[in-house]
Amino acid sequence: MKTEESYLEEVTASEYKYGFYTNIEADKVPPGLSEEVIRIISAKKQEPEWMTEWRLDAYRKFLKMTEPKWPNVTYPEPDLQAISYYSAPKKKKELDSLDEVDPELLKTFEKLGISLEEQKRLSGVAMDVVVDSVSVKTTFKEKLAELGIIFCSMSDAIQEHPELVQKYLGTVVPKSDNYYAALNSAVFTDGSFCYIPKGVRCPMELSTYFRINEAGTGQFERTLVIADESSYVSYLEGCTAPMRDENQLHAAVVELVALDNAEIKYSTVQNWYPGNKEGKGGIYNFVTKRGMCERNAKISWTQVETGSAVTWKYPSCILKGENSVGEFYSVAVTNNYQQADTGTKMIHLGKNTKSTIISKGICAGHSNGSYRGLVRIGSRAENARNFSQCDSLLMGNGCGSHTFPYIETQNKTAKVEHEATTSKIGEDQIFYCNQRGIGEEEAIALIVNGYCKDVLNQLPMEFAVEAQKLLAISLEGSVG
Amino acid sequence: MLKINNLQAGIEGKEILKGIDLEVKAGEVHAIMGPNGSGKSTLSSVIAGREDYEVSGGSIDFEGEDLLDLGADERAHKGIFLSFQYPVEIPGVTVTNFIKTAINESRKARGEEPMPANVMLKKMREKMALLEIDNAFLSRSLNEGFSGGEKKRNEIFQMAMLEPKLAILDETDSGLDIDALRIVANGVNKLKSKDNAVIVITHYQRLLDYIVPDYVHVLHKGKIVKSGDKSLAHELEAKGYDWLKEGAVEA
């Protein structure tokens, strides 16, 4: 007789399906971190002097900081001197068509099911593909340019739009914000930049796929999205990473700026390599994501987190302007020995600001998942509103789920609601599905997708499909 | 179609079924009655393949195949359907999505292509009309916040969509008011054919006024103590189970 544990173990024993390694020649800086290395990175990228200085300033601030210990995760501290801070595919010339893209790379994308051709033809998604820090391909650039939309790599933005970069870079996440944000500010090699002009509604989902692709290479992306007054943009970020033995550090910074009446929708599907079944290997994902809302602006974060060995990540909103709105929709899956400490911060500063938090945690195997959220209502935030719902779904008896909701209010007119539930996938539910001809694996996918529906519904259609697949891959094995 | 021989089964070391013999042929309706705790629901769970139950002896054959080797989902693929006494809730999964998944998983198991959406939709409309089900029902989360009657109607709706060879209705009448009972029974009757069979598990005669059985069996302490035609159900209604319990003790 199979017990609930045994089949949960069986179905959660999924191998990482995207574990392959693309053999592209890379141009690499020797491991180590110093002012010298930062100068080399900046020089290799032919950056202007102000950018080099900005990095060095960040580095000096970083040197005075220590790694945060408050997240509910344990891991050996990464050796920052063992990391190579720059790795770029050697073939760096401008590409006009897909034919010019390294065929190895195209194969990789095919395996992931995100072939550029298909994406372009079927969904009209413009993609800025980042492989190991340097943009390889930017599509739809011209079409967007007609509307005055700038969507390019951060490197290009520094060269071509220095005034915008200088004006906004580091304004939402300051260089000294935290240990890993400071590190990122010093050594980031690339990322995406997006600017939507006043009154423009971006006609397509902007999309970036990041991959870590060179052994021993940490990746430090920097993303900056600026939505000028009364503009709208939906931005998609998806990640998959190949299998690695040693842990890899990933410390990204994402800054969103939503000016008056603007709206930014930022969606992420994160599937970095989570380590093997014994908890060996996997990505350390220490990310700082934050958005600034001016008057009547809205920022909506949606994330589906299935990967990484260790994650700490709190996409946040600073609701500075009156009537601004912040939203956070999250599904975080941990399996085997994964650890995740994730949530959001909603900082209400302006009057009549509103925030919504929907967090769905799913824990399986021996994993540990924590929700950590802060809702702060400032003294001038009259009539601020927050609604938070934090649910946990447990699979089996070896995992742990924790909720750390912090609420700080300095204004009596604030209204803050918090709801939380914890549930287990029941044997009854599985049997019911089985009896209708739905196998265990499919049953768990069905139940989990139902549980996450409120979050998945926030994703653009094609992304939702991919997210469902990822949930299935993360939680299911090859039963039967 | 279904042949049960000397079936012994229990849960957590406690024996509940103590040698059940039952044969159900295509086109037949069997009623299994009996007092609380007699093993009625255990029997339905064991036929459907619930893994909590351990079969310690005997056999169950379905169309010449040994069922006991198959998982619950594989039994469903063979055409066995259980209408649950207590249908479970699956939040966030709509009735439509659930039924679609169920149908297509069974088709996949049989090596068939998924049912085309328009065919499925047409079929759903037809069966909804049969069971007097409202359109809005389809987009609700499965059984979540359903009344007792809605849950049972949903079970029969699924049965209508899946078209099983053998349907086991486990106390489908409990929680139903008289109108709902009539609709559900009417639905079951319309789905009956010479090729399929129904086992109705119930406490009461009431449902059997609508779904008329060919055979009635009385289950007591894990054994079938008496079998007869539909008049046995009336006799039970009039006399209760006590006279049979005494009989069982004497036997």
Side-chain angles (χ1 to χ4, degrees), chain A residues 369-381:
Chain A
S370 301
Y371 167 81
R372 186 183 303 275
L374 169 66
V375 176
R376 179 183 290 153
I377 314 281
S379 58
R380 274 171 294 181

Side-chain angles (χ1 to χ4, degrees), chain B residues 77-140:
Chain B
H77 300 156
K78 301 274 174 213
I80 291 177
F81 180 91
L82 171 63
S83 168
F84 284 65
Q85 185 179 358
Y86 304 109
V88 302
E89 296 179 1
I90 306 184
V93 177
T94 61
V95 172
T96 311
N97 188 15
F98 185 76
I99 291 177
K100 188 180 92 185
T101 307
I103 288 178
N104 286 336
E105 285 297 301
S106 289
R107 289 173 74 99
K108 195 162 91 187
R110 293 192 295 259
E112 297 165 17
E113 290 294 309
M115 185 181 279
N118 58 338
V119 176
M120 192 170 304
L121 209 63
K122 190 168 167 252
K123 193 168 174 180
M124 277 188 179
R125 292 234 172 84
E126 195 184 300
K127 307 299 182 190
M128 279 163 70
L130 178 69
L131 292 161
E132 299 179 29
I133 286 172
D134 190 74
N135 244 332
F137 191 80
L138 293 181
S139 47
R140 290 172 66 184

